[in-house]
Amino acid sequence: MNILLVGGGGREHTLAWKINKSSLCDKLFIAPGNAGTPQFGTNVPIAVTDFEAQAAFCLANNVAMVIVGPEEPLVKGIYDYFKNRTDTAHIEVIGPSKEAAQLEGSKAFAKAFMQRHHIPTAAYKEFDSTSYEEGIAYIRNHPLPIVLKADGLAAGKGVLICNNHIEALAEFQLMIQQSKFGEAGKRVVIEQFLDGIELSVFVLTDGINFVVLPEAKDYKKIGVGDTGPNTGGMGAVSPVPFADAAYMKTVTEKIIRPTIEGLQKEALDYKGFVFIGLINVKGEPFVIEYNCRLGDPETEVIIPRIENDLIAVLSATAQQRLNEIEIITSKQSAVTVMAVSGGYPNDHETGKVINGLDDTRLDNTMIFHAGTRLNGDQVVTSGGRVLAVTSFGNNLVEAAEQSNYMLEQIHFDGMYFREDIGFEFR
C-alpha cells in the first residue's frame, strides 16, 4: 500500500525508518518531512494541518493509510476530516477523532476523564479568568511545590513546578492575565505535586482491543543531573529497570484497561497510539498526562525495539484486529540522546551547518533528524532539537556510551547534548 506520514520531526524520521522496512509498504510519502526522511520516502511540501491538501494528495497518489505523527493535526481533527468526506472515508487514519484527542488537547478534559473512570492521578482544580481570584486564594493555601499546567497545547512547555507561593502566584497571573502560553493558558489546571520517577507507557488501541508497546523514560531538563528549565525532551531510555512484569501488570489493570474501557463507554472514536505519562510514587503508578500520539524522543527508543512489521500492526489497528497481534520486543536496551541548538529551550539560532553525519557510522546506532532542513546540498539546523542518536546495547550504560560517542563525531555551531542520560542505571 501507499502511505502518507504526517510530520517532520525526530518521531517521524524514526517512523519512516521503521515503515520503510515493512513488506506491506509500496511507497512512503512524508509531509513535510525533514532533511533525513528522504532516506526512506518522498518528502511532500504540505503543512501538517493542511487537511485539504493532504486529502487531495492522497487521492492523487492512491494512498491507503495516513499515519499522524504530531498532536496538532489530531487535536484539530484530521481523523474527522478524512472520515467525513465520502471520497477519503476509505483511507485508514491512524489517530483518534478530534473529540477523543481532547485527552491531550485539554488537561482539564483529561483530568475529568480520569476522575470519571477512577484512574489514579494527582488531585487538582481548574481556573480561568472568571475564577481568577478563587485561583489566587487556592494557590495561597496550597502545599508546596505547586504544579501549574496550561490547559491546551503549549509545545511541551506549559507545565510549571513552583517551589514557593510568590512564584506560583506570578506564573498564574502571567498565564491567565498576560497570555504567557497564548490560548493554551487561558485555563489553568493547578495540581498536587507528586514525588517519584516518571515513566512513559505506550499503548496502541483499535477502540476495543489494545497492545502495550515498550516503555521508556525521557529526560525533560536541559542540564546534566536534571537541572535547568524543561525542554521538549533531551533523550530517552528503554526498557526502564523498575518497570518489571509485576509493575506493568499493575499499570495495565489500574490505568491502561480503565482508559481504553473509558474511551469505549464514552463512545470516543480512537484508533491509534495512547501515550500515558506516569509517575511511580512508592511503587504505585499515577497518571501525569495523556498524549494522543507517540512521544518524542521516546519514539526514537521504543520503535527500534519493536520487532514486528509496523504496518501489519497498524493495519490491524485500523481494522479492529489488534486481538490478533502480539508485540515482539527486542531484548536489547536502547538509549537516545538529543543534540540541541545553543540557547535551547530559549532563543536559539538556526541555519547552522551540520558536519560529520556521514563520517562515522556505527553498528547498532541510528541518527534520526529532529530539526533539520536541506540548504542546497548541506544539512542545516532548523529547530531547537536537531538530532536524535539512538544506540542499542546489552544494557543501558553500553547503549548510552555508544550514543555519546556517535554525537562526539558530529558538530554544528552551538551544539549541546546531555552526557549523563542513562548512566544512573549503571
Side-chain angles (χ1 to χ4, degrees):
M1 71 174 80
N2 294 345
I3 296 167
L4 176 66
L5 172 61
V6 176
R11 167 183 45 226
E12 289 76 36
H13 191 186
T14 309
L15 288 169
W17 167 82
K18 182 68 171 174
I19 293 164
N20 187 58
K21 296 176 180 290
S22 173
S23 61
L24 300 176
C25 178
D26 295 317
K27 291 181 181 177
L28 174 62
F29 303 100
I30 309 102
N34 60 39
T37 49
Q39 298 171 74
F40 309 116
T42 302
N43 282 3
V44 181
I46 300 175
V48 297
T49 54
D50 190 345
F51 304 154
E52 185 176 357
Q54 291 164 6
F57 180 87
C58 288
L59 292 170
N61 291 274
N62 196 28
V63 168
M65 177 182 286
V66 175
I67 301 169
V68 187
E71 62 274 22
E72 188 181 8
L74 292 167
V75 171
K76 289 186 173 177
I78 185 172
Y79 178 91
D80 310 69
Y81 184 88
F82 273 78
K83 292 303 175 183
N84 291 338
R85 280 179 50 155
T86 54
D87 56 349
T88 58
H90 66 284
I91 297 173
E92 296 173 344
V93 179
I94 303 300
S97 67
K98 182 177 182 178
E99 188 179 9
Q102 287 183 90
L103 276 183
E104 177 168 6
S106 168
K107 300 288 191 300
F109 177 92
K111 295 293 279 192
F113 177 89
M114 286 183 262
Q115 275 197 338
R116 288 194 297 274
H117 300 289
H118 311 292
I119 296 164
T121 189
Y124 81 103
K125 275 199 169 185
E126 59 184 86
F127 302 94
D128 59 20
S129 59
T130 65
S131 53
Y132 179 76
E133 293 301 328
E134 184 185 345
I136 293 290
Y138 185 76
I139 289 171
R140 284 180 173 145
N141 291 294
H142 199 287
L144 296 171
I146 305 172
V147 182
L148 275 62
K149 293 183 176 181
D151 178 57
L153 299 179
K157 298 173 185 175
V159 178
L160 304 170
I161 300 173
C162 302
N163 292 302
N164 62 69
H165 291 99
I166 294 172
E167 178 191 10
L169 289 166
E171 291 291 351
F172 183 66
Q173 191 265 341
L174 285 171
M175 291 167 80
I176 295 286
Q177 295 194 333
Q178 296 187 36
S179 302
K180 177 175 180 176
F181 297 112
E183 288 299 315
K186 291 292 187 182
R187 179 184 295 175
V188 176
V189 171
I190 300 178
E191 200 172 80
Q192 168 197 10
F193 176 78
L194 296 176
D195 191 14
I197 303 174
E198 293 189 23
L199 171 70
S200 300
V201 170
F202 300 92
V203 180
L204 193 54
T205 182
D206 60 17
I208 298 174
N209 312 290
F210 67 87
V211 291
V212 182
L213 306 177
E215 78 287 352
K217 177 185 186 296
D218 82 327
Y219 296 74
K220 286 280 190 257
K221 299 287 189 177
I222 187 71
V224 169
D226 286 330
T227 57
N230 276 341
T231 71
M234 293 297 295
V237 303
S238 180
V240 181
F242 71 80
D244 57 17
Y247 184 81
M248 290 306 296
K249 183 180 179 182
T250 300
V251 170
T252 299
E253 294 309 314
K254 290 190 174 182
I255 292 168
I256 298 173
R257 196 175 302 282
T259 296
I260 305 306
E261 289 176 353
L263 293 170
Q264 282 183 261
K265 287 173 185 174
E266 299 193 15
L268 295 170
D269 200 352
Y270 206 122
K271 293 183 176 69
F273 297 101
V274 186
F275 168 141
I276 307 174
L278 301 179
I279 189 162
N280 178 30
V281 182
K282 298 177 181 177
E284 286 296 318
F286 291 79
V287 177
I288 301 171
E289 64 176 356
Y290 289 111
N291 291 164
C292 55
R293 38 72 192 185
L294 289 176
D296 190 347
E298 295 98 329
T299 303
E300 289 91 315
V301 285
I302 70 163
I303 289 295
R305 293 190 67 223
I306 296 171
E307 297 183 347
N308 305 65
D309 181 317
L310 183 61
I311 299 307
V313 176
L314 295 180
S315 292
T317 302
Q319 296 160 19
Q320 231 157 44
R321 295 186 293 102
L322 269 182
N323 55 305
E324 301 173 9
I325 298 293
E326 179 182 353
I327 298 298
I328 304 165
T329 302
S330 169
K331 300 297 184 189
Q332 284 197 298
S333 299
V335 173
T336 294
V337 182
M338 298 290 309
V340 304
S341 298
Y344 177 79
N346 299 313
D347 292 340
H348 54 271
E349 294 181 359
T350 59
K352 304 297 184 182
V353 176
I354 305 171
N355 296 305
L357 287 173
D358 299 314
D359 293 350
T360 304
R361 287 290 174 157
L362 301 173
D363 291 338
N364 294 323
T365 295
M366 294 140 285
I367 301 171
F368 297 119
H369 292 231
T372 66
R373 62 179 174 84
L374 286 172
N375 183 13
D377 60 354
Q378 293 182 316
V379 179
V380 300
T381 66
S382 67
R385 293 189 300 163
V386 178
L387 299 169
V389 173
T390 298
S391 298
F392 281 116
N394 293 319
N395 54 59
L396 291 173
V397 170
E398 186 178 292
E401 286 173 342
Q402 185 147 315
S403 286
N404 283 356
Y405 175 80
M406 186 69 245
L407 279 166
E408 288 166 1
Q409 317 309 309
I410 298 169
H411 174 77
F412 57 86
D413 187 31
M415 173 176 152
Y416 167 76
F417 64 93
R418 275 184 60 173
E419 298 178 351
D420 63 328
I421 287 170
F423 285 97
E424 75 266 38
F425 297 112
R426 63 169 73 246

